[in-house]
Amino acid sequence: MPMLANGVVAPPVPGQPPSGPSLLAFFKADCPACHLALRYLDNLARSIGSGDHVLAVSQNERASTEKLMRSLGADLPLRFDRDLTASAGFGLEAVPALFLLDQAGRVLASSQGFDKADLNRLGGKLAKLLEVPDPELARPGDGNPDFQPGCVSRHLEPESDTAAADIPDLYSRRAGRASRIDLPTEADAEEWCYESGYADPLPVVPPTVERVERMLAESGLSPDEVVAHVPPNFGAASVEKIAANAVMAGCRPEYMRVLVPAVRALCDERLDIHGVQGTTHFAAPLAIVNGPVRLELGFACGSNVFSNAARANSTIGRALQLILRNLGGAAPGRIDMSTMGNPGRFSFVIGENEEASPWGPLSEDFGIDAGRNAVTFFCAEPPRPVSEHKAREPRVLLRAICPVLANLWSYRVCKRSEAVVVIGPEHAATLGRGGFTKRDVVEFLFENTGVPVSEYDGDGGEGTHEAGFYDECVIRGVRCYRKFRRPESVRVMVAGGPAGKFSAVLGSWATGPRGSQMVSYQFA
Amino acid sequence: MSLTVVSPLDERPLPEGSAPPRLASVGGARIALLDISKGGGEVFLDRVDALLRERYGVSEVLRFRKPTFAKPAPEAVLTDIRKAQPQAVIEALAD
């Protein structure tokens, strides 16, 4: 039967009926979209205050439901649809499913799946009925996706006689404390860590209790607070686990102020580190640091910005990689099956040379005010070099960058890649003197990067089959296909040392909502 | 003196799973093929599709497709496969 239409009187739900208008939320314990919705609904219930006006209807038994609610820190009034008759009666196809009912139990509005717009709409209507302020539950850009499809309702699931696998605990906010392990007296601590699978192939600093405690003290956070769940295994990155990996990577305690928001950003669903961890491609997450923290913690932003110049870059980048490996499970040869790999899989962190830039910082492109600390992630190929030592005029200089951009991913593949162009300080000075704004640079690169149509001569190579979808243009009299989908596919920043007219181009992995999207997080 | 270290690893026990029993025969069975959207996947699966019917007497081959190889299969795709109730699913991984 179809889902209950508006105006229809809803069938009864087990337990005490609500007194007055109510929002019923059907869910099941192993549904990630339900976990997301329940957190917002818990906030809605709290903002409304007394009364059972927001009811969570579980399709599971009490024990697993209560365990889930504890892990979410949610305290919603619960009902149990044990035999799933109510789920069938409401005509659910998917959960979470929300039904706004009036006092007489008639359906006023409904929604299936996790959708911030629906949550706001239904939460707003309930607030209006109860004459309380609209709580504006779900804001865009709060770290959760705007939309996530739900899971099939349990009453439609085929029965199975095999035991279900454990439910991954994706949204818990607290983790158990990390184990303390006494090393054998005769053990060499560095060798022991290596043999215990703690490390990449380089030596690590043993994460002794004292060192980890110093990290924790500096963070000012509770050790069991979960910052993120690291894909693909979704191990909980508690502050304590982050600290242990940071010690091993050689971090100083004060680096925790960057590492904690960086781990959160790294696990943002938009970045899709899940896919990047398992790809055969070259991609690795590059972290770009902006703001005063660069100078306070000594991040390299100048000479050797991509290499081994500063402890902050090298050890924070290594800590992130160790976290991906130790908590996410992406060790080379197991989940990480990159064909060629990327030197950035040891460490891949740069600071923007804001002092040498004629423009605002990269983080400003993502809505963060200049002067604020921010970490931005881009899943990138290794840097490709650009040399242009003769150009004295912006257009001539930028022409040297266009062919490097044209080669991203594969020469004849268009409209797929994105790029970060790291402009060296000498090049930045040329562009600044020539009056080019960042927008001018991006538009010039977009307009002048293409692949000649003559290259598509029917040999069947990569990118040639999709040519019908490409956008044609003329670049210096030559018919071309535009390399990029839109100007915003190219991001521009400044980094590198004061001498040498070099820049660098970094290409992306799969892009857009079906791949990896750049994310930028502000921090204190 | 012995050192005490803090475990940096994910300490949850790995969930135990086991493969479902193998089909004794695919003759007369409904088999689902899941294309993960990698380039060339459909070429490979078209051939598997034909072989399953011609050589192994599969009664019906059902085709499903993930919207992107870059992310796990969305619940909607898994729901469609479950609803179709195939006896087995073959997933074409990578290119």
Side-chain angles (χ1 to χ4, degrees):
Chain A
M1 65 178 282
M3 200 158 96
L4 285 189
N6 291 350
V8 173
V9 175
V13 168
Q16 182 75 20
S19 53
S22 62
L23 185 59
L24 295 187
F26 287 85
F27 71 100
K28 62 179 184 179
D30 59 347
C31 162
C34 295
H35 301 178
L36 278 172
L38 286 169
R39 292 170 67 164
Y40 289 102
L41 293 167
D42 188 52
N43 289 339
L44 175 65
R46 285 174 205 271
S47 77
I48 289 172
S50 63
D52 287 358
H53 296 293
V54 183
L55 287 175
V57 186
S58 173
Q59 296 185 324
N60 297 85
E61 84 291 357
R62 185 176 288 274
S64 63
T65 303
E66 289 182 344
K67 183 179 168 206
L68 170 70
M69 299 307 262
R70 276 196 301 278
S71 75
L72 295 173
D75 189 26
L76 285 164
L78 289 169
R79 297 289 185 272
F80 294 91
D81 186 20
R82 286 191 184 83
D83 58 5
L84 306 172
T85 358
S87 300
F90 276 74
L92 304 190
E93 287 185 347
V95 286
L98 308 182
F99 292 87
L100 180 64
L101 307 181
D102 67 11
Q103 190 142 11
R106 265 190 303 269
V107 177
L108 298 174
S110 61
S111 159
Q112 291 193 83
F114 172 78
D115 187 325
K116 284 184 178 172
D118 280 351
L119 275 171
N120 287 333
R121 181 170 59 89
L122 271 64
K125 282 186 175 178
L126 178 65
K128 198 170 173 189
L129 290 170
L130 295 169
E131 297 175 348
V132 298
D134 187 341
E136 285 184 77
L137 281 183
R139 294 191 170 84
D142 63 2
N144 288 326
D146 293 338
F147 172 77
Q148 186 163 315
C151 298
V152 68
S153 174
R154 271 198 73 195
H155 76 286
L156 297 176
E157 284 178 353
E159 291 298 317
S160 162
D161 50 5
T162 53
D166 268 358
I167 297 165
D169 192 7
L170 300 183
Y171 294 95
S172 60
R173 294 168 176 173
R174 299 281 168 190
R177 293 296 300 269
S179 300
R180 269 67 178 150
I181 300 154
D182 295 324
L183 269 50
T185 326
E186 70 282 4
D188 175 303
E190 286 81 4
E191 286 297 329
W192 188 90
C193 288
Y194 184 76
E195 285 161 14
S196 303
Y198 285 11
D200 58 27
L202 293 174
V204 292
V205 177
T208 60
V209 172
E210 299 74 17
R211 289 178 178 133
V212 173
E213 291 293 340
R214 282 201 291 275
M215 288 276 171
L216 289 171
E218 185 71 26
S219 77
L221 297 168
S222 171
D224 64 350
E225 185 175 335
V226 174
V227 171
H229 291 84
V230 188
N233 284 359
F234 295 104
S238 65
V239 176
E240 187 178 39
K241 291 285 182 188
I242 294 173
N245 282 285
V247 167
M248 293 203 303
C251 289
R252 291 182 58 80
E254 56 266 36
Y255 297 172
M256 285 294 278
R257 69 186 271 221
V258 183
L259 255 177
V260 170
V263 170
R264 193 166 280 139
L266 186 61
C267 298
D268 186 312
E269 281 193 28
R270 291 169 294 178
L271 190 72
D272 191 20
I273 199 68
H274 196 134
V276 175
Q277 296 270 62
T279 184
T280 47
H281 186 245
F282 300 82
L286 167 69
I288 301 156
V289 181
N290 280 112
V293 72
R294 297 166 305 118
L295 307 179
E296 291 158 12
L297 297 183
F299 279 92
C301 312
S303 303
N304 269 298
V305 68
F306 279 106
S307 47
N308 48 359
R311 184 171 175 181
N313 303 48
S314 296
T315 63
I316 288 174
R318 189 180 181 209
L320 293 172
Q321 284 296 325
L322 289 176
I323 286 164
L324 288 176
R325 182 185 179 115
N326 289 338
L327 301 176
R334 292 215 299 270
I335 285 169
D336 179 356
M337 297 292 285
S338 176
T339 311
M340 293 290 171
N342 182 333
R345 292 259 180 192
F346 275 114
S347 178
F348 211 13
V349 176
I350 62 174
E352 178 154 16
N353 194 338
E354 295 179 23
E355 292 68 24
S357 173
W359 314 302
L362 177 72
S363 49
E364 212 175 30
D365 292 9
F366 298 91
I368 296 172
D369 290 340
R372 301 282 185 187
N373 294 322
V375 59
T376 303
F377 278 96
F378 176 59
C379 291
E381 297 175 343
R384 299 172 186 229
V386 177
S387 170
E388 176 49 83
H389 283 76
K390 299 294 181 193
R392 304 173 72 88
E393 198 276 319
R395 288 172 187 79
V396 182
L397 163 58
L398 294 175
R399 274 188 69 175
I401 297 175
C402 293
V404 183
L405 286 170
N407 270 297
L408 294 184
W409 192 271
S410 183
Y411 179 47
R412 292 184 290 179
V413 172
C414 296
K415 292 178 84 170
R416 289 249 185 102
S417 292
E418 292 176 359
V420 168
V421 180
V422 181
I423 306 276
E426 286 209 72
H427 283 168
T430 303
L431 295 167
R433 271 198 309 272
F436 264 50
T437 63
K438 195 191 274 192
R439 185 73 201 170
D440 294 334
V441 172
V442 163
E443 284 184 359
F444 185 95
L445 294 174
F446 172 72
E447 297 286 343
N448 289 279
T449 303
V451 182
V453 173
S454 60
E455 294 281 359
Y456 298 76
D457 53 4
D459 68 357
E462 187 170 354
T464 59
H465 298 279
E466 299 89 30
F469 299 102
Y470 298 165
D471 303 320
E472 220 178 294
C473 61
V474 175
I475 300 174
R476 283 181 293 283
V478 179
R479 277 178 65 215
C480 291
Y481 292 125
R482 262 195 215 303
K483 183 70 179 181
F484 295 107
R485 185 178 294 274
R486 56 201 181 112
E488 293 74 22
S489 303
V490 182
R491 300 281 175 190
V492 170
M493 58 171 287
V494 176
K501 292 180 191 295
F502 296 108
S503 290
V505 168
L506 292 96
S508 65
W509 185 61
T511 57
R514 291 184 170 189
S516 176
Q517 298 167 272
M518 288 179 81
V519 297
S520 192
Y521 276 54
Q522 183 178 316
F523 59 94
Chain B
M1 194 185 77
S2 131
L3 280 179
T4 304
V5 298
V6 177
S7 168
L9 303 177
D10 177 14
E11 297 184 56
R12 294 168 307 164
L14 286 174
E16 283 187 25
S18 54
R22 289 178 76 91
L23 299 181
S25 156
V26 292
R30 286 152 65 83
I31 305 291
L33 299 182
L34 176 60
D35 181 351
I36 71 160
S37 285
K38 272 273 187 176
E42 74 280 16
V43 178
F44 177 71
L45 286 177
D46 284 349
R47 184 70 185 134
V48 172
D49 187 328
L51 287 174
L52 284 172
R53 291 170 200 270
E54 292 160 14
R55 194 179 292 176
Y56 298 100
V58 165
S59 68
E60 197 177 355
V61 179
L62 308 158
R63 300 289 288 265
F64 299 92
R65 188 177 168 89
K66 276 172 59 172
T68 169
F69 61 84
K71 298 191 176 189
E75 188 62 27
V77 172
L78 300 179
T79 301
D80 286 347
I81 296 176
R82 285 191 200 106
K83 277 186 181 166
Q85 300 195 320
Q87 271 95 52
V89 181
I90 299 174
E91 182 171 351
L93 278 175
D95 41 7

